[in-house]
Amino acid sequence: MTELISDKLPTTRTNPFDPPPEIAQIRERATVSRLKFADGHLGWLVTGHHQVREVLGSPKFTNDPGEHHLLEVRFQGEAPKEKRKIKPGMFLNQDPPDHTRLRRMLQGQFTVRRMNQLSEWIGTIVDDQLKHLRSFDGKADLVQEFALPVPSLVICALLGVDYDERHRFQEDTATLLSLNSTFDEAMAAMARIEEFMRELVVRKKENPGDDMISDLIATGEPTDEEASNMALLLLLAGHETTANMLGIGTFTLLQHPDQLKILRDEPEVIDNAVEELMRYLSIIHFGPVRTATEDVEIDGHLIKAGDTVVMHVPGANRDPEKFPGNPEELDLRRPATGHVAFGHGIHQCLGQQLARIEMRIAFAKLFQEFPDLRLDIAPEEVPLRTDMGIYGVHALPVAWSS
């Protein structure tokens, strides 16, 4: 019998590092469950790791947001006023063949080899930011002075965006991702970011540089609108997600001193440590969302064409069927490959190798440079991003011996 979740999707965390406890209970009863949406439509919630990968890897589901029914998260308690329409270049929400054509234009920029070649340069950025952090003489907000600047500096340099102009997108990005923004506030923020990127594409056409946007334009393939929207996706994803992983990842390690000791004593564990932190934290509240384009069976359940399916990545990444040995615990020695924190299938995160390298270098160097790093407030006082679409910490006051 298929379980029906009659009230809204569980979103309240009782532990800063865990998904809502009800998610594990739902997954134990059924990896695929019925879910009632805000408009009364019955859809599906998928919490099992294998089942999430199956949906994400299937061509029988679309990522077109215009096809999704309204979700439980609102803008200030109101439903979105209109269904989103896909704009040219927003390949994240497109299906083949458009998705294939657009993603192919960027694929060569994010190869493992190319990203590895950036390691020394990224290391220099991290070193410079650590020197900046050290200048605060014993205490600072790690988010403001390290976790956010590092990936922002990296993605701005790669895209050819002037870092001094970051205020033009960081403030609006926060508005866009805030669950407390009204629909009109979110759309206005999005419009300002889009205008910033359109201006940037015009400048790059007139004065190309050694950066991804100039390279993209030089191919002659994308239209100006496609190029600006593709760059917008890279800019938002390139700083927001990694910044939040660095912030909450540091908070997590400081609260798990046994695991932090492993990281300090066994530097060779850093690659796996990043994978385990990605698995353990999974910095979205729930999602992604897909809509079936035809009838399909998942784990014995018939999902009909038009049904909306919400996958729960944090729940899938705690699935004991995939990660035995108590996946509710952080274990930096656990083989954590195969998690779905970067997604799966054709929409798997394009910049995942860049994010991995940034986190490997940043975490290793941070705790090497500040061996006695500690919280400067009580753990329960750390402001969590429960009000944002991407989870993390708003601030992380830390201290060290100067």
Side-chain angles (χ1 to χ4, degrees):
M1 180 177 177
T2 302
E3 164 142 1
L4 172 63
I5 304 174
S6 57
D7 54 1
K8 64 182 183 179
L9 178 69
T11 58
T12 302
R13 298 170 182 261
T14 57
N15 181 297
F17 312 121
D18 298 336
E22 297 92 339
I23 294 299
Q25 298 165 10
I26 292 168
R27 188 189 58 235
E28 288 171 7
R29 292 193 293 267
T31 58
V32 179
S33 306
R34 272 298 203 180
L35 176 64
K36 182 179 288 187
F37 289 88
D39 62 354
H41 167 75
L42 283 178
W44 302 87
L45 175 68
V46 183
T47 51
H49 180 274
H50 173 74
Q51 293 76 20
V52 164
R53 282 175 57 96
E54 189 173 355
V55 173
L56 290 177
S58 173
K60 297 180 180 180
F61 292 88
T62 180
N63 199 29
D64 183 343
E67 298 299 320
H68 304 334
H69 279 260
L70 305 180
L71 301 182
E72 297 296 335
V73 172
R74 312 283 209 290
F75 297 96
Q76 289 281 49
E78 62 177 331
K81 296 178 181 177
E82 59 191 40
K83 287 192 174 183
R84 288 184 294 160
K85 296 178 181 179
I86 299 176
K87 297 181 179 180
M90 291 288 189
F91 59 91
L92 179 64
N93 295 128
Q94 292 179 289
D95 300 319
D98 287 334
H99 171 270
T100 308
R101 175 180 65 86
L102 294 167
R103 185 163 171 134
R104 177 181 50 78
M105 297 181 199
L106 294 168
Q107 203 83 47
Q109 303 275 7
F110 289 96
T111 62
V112 175
R113 180 183 177 188
R114 175 147 199 220
M115 293 299 102
N116 285 332
Q117 290 172 343
L118 297 175
S119 292
E120 185 176 347
W121 170 68
I122 293 172
T124 300
I125 288 176
V126 171
D127 287 339
D128 289 344
Q129 208 59 38
L130 287 171
K131 290 178 184 176
H132 169 74
L133 185 63
R134 176 70 72 181
S135 72
F136 283 84
D137 194 30
K139 56 177 62 180
D141 174 11
L142 192 86
V143 170
Q144 194 65 34
E145 310 304 338
F146 183 74
L148 181 58
V150 167
S152 296
L153 282 162
V154 169
I155 198 62
C156 282
L158 289 177
L159 293 179
V161 175
D162 188 341
Y163 184 65
D164 290 338
E165 290 190 288
R166 65 191 182 280
H167 66 280
R168 292 193 59 186
F169 62 85
Q170 285 185 345
E171 293 173 7
D172 283 326
T173 298
T175 300
L176 191 63
L177 292 175
S178 174
L179 303 180
N180 292 326
S181 295
T182 66
F183 179 82
D184 290 339
E185 288 169 345
M187 293 304 100
M190 185 64 170
R192 288 190 293 269
I193 300 172
E194 289 173 336
E195 178 61 26
F196 173 65
M197 299 311 296
R198 282 194 294 268
E199 292 174 7
L200 183 64
V201 167
V202 170
R203 295 204 303 265
K204 294 298 178 183
K205 290 182 72 174
E206 295 174 350
N207 296 290
D210 183 17
D211 56 73
M212 287 185 179
I213 297 179
S214 296
D215 290 348
L216 181 62
I217 294 169
T219 66
E221 292 189 71
T223 65
D224 287 359
E225 188 175 12
E226 285 178 336
S228 64
N229 285 331
M230 292 165 77
L232 184 153
L233 284 177
L234 296 178
L235 181 66
L236 298 187
H239 80 277
E240 187 71 28
T241 51
T242 307
N244 283 294
M245 269 303 302
L246 290 176
I248 196 167
T250 301
F251 181 26
T252 303
L253 290 167
L254 291 176
Q255 290 301 105
H256 293 78
D258 58 325
Q259 297 302 305
L260 181 54
K261 186 175 187 303
I262 292 173
L263 186 63
R264 285 176 170 143
D265 295 349
E266 304 171 30
E268 68 277 6
V269 82
I270 186 61
D271 288 9
N272 192 76
V274 166
E275 301 305 315
E276 173 66 354
L277 284 167
M278 289 291 300
R279 179 202 72 81
Y280 182 70
L281 294 170
S282 303
I283 56 168
I284 57 173
H285 296 295
F286 61 86
V289 184
R290 296 289 188 269
T291 301
T293 56
E294 58 183 277
D295 290 359
V296 57
E297 187 174 299
I298 301 291
D299 200 21
H301 300 279
L302 178 62
I303 297 175
K304 294 185 178 181
D307 282 359
T308 301
V309 180
V310 176
M311 282 148 290
H312 205 285
V313 163
N317 280 338
R318 299 288 185 97
D319 188 349
E321 290 293 320
K322 173 61 181 177
F323 303 102
N326 195 358
E328 298 298 323
E329 292 184 356
L330 179 70
D331 180 0
L332 299 190
R333 295 192 183 110
R334 180 201 315 274
T337 54
H339 64 74
V340 287
F342 286 118
H344 178 68
I346 64 171
H347 290 290
Q348 191 171 34
C349 176
L350 183 64
Q352 61 181 290
Q353 297 306 331
L354 176 62
R356 284 185 168 104
I357 291 169
E358 290 180 88
M359 285 187 281
R360 290 168 188 166
I361 294 172
F363 282 128
K365 286 180 174 286
L366 173 65
F367 289 107
Q368 181 181 37
E369 177 68 21
F370 295 89
D372 63 340
L373 192 73
R374 60 190 181 275
L375 286 180
D376 196 36
I377 58 175
E380 59 271 19
E381 295 176 358
V382 173
L384 303 171
R385 287 170 55 102
T386 53
D387 58 333
M388 306 296 286
I390 297 177
Y391 188 57
V393 292
H394 283 293
L396 192 69
V398 292
W400 61 90
S401 298
S402 56

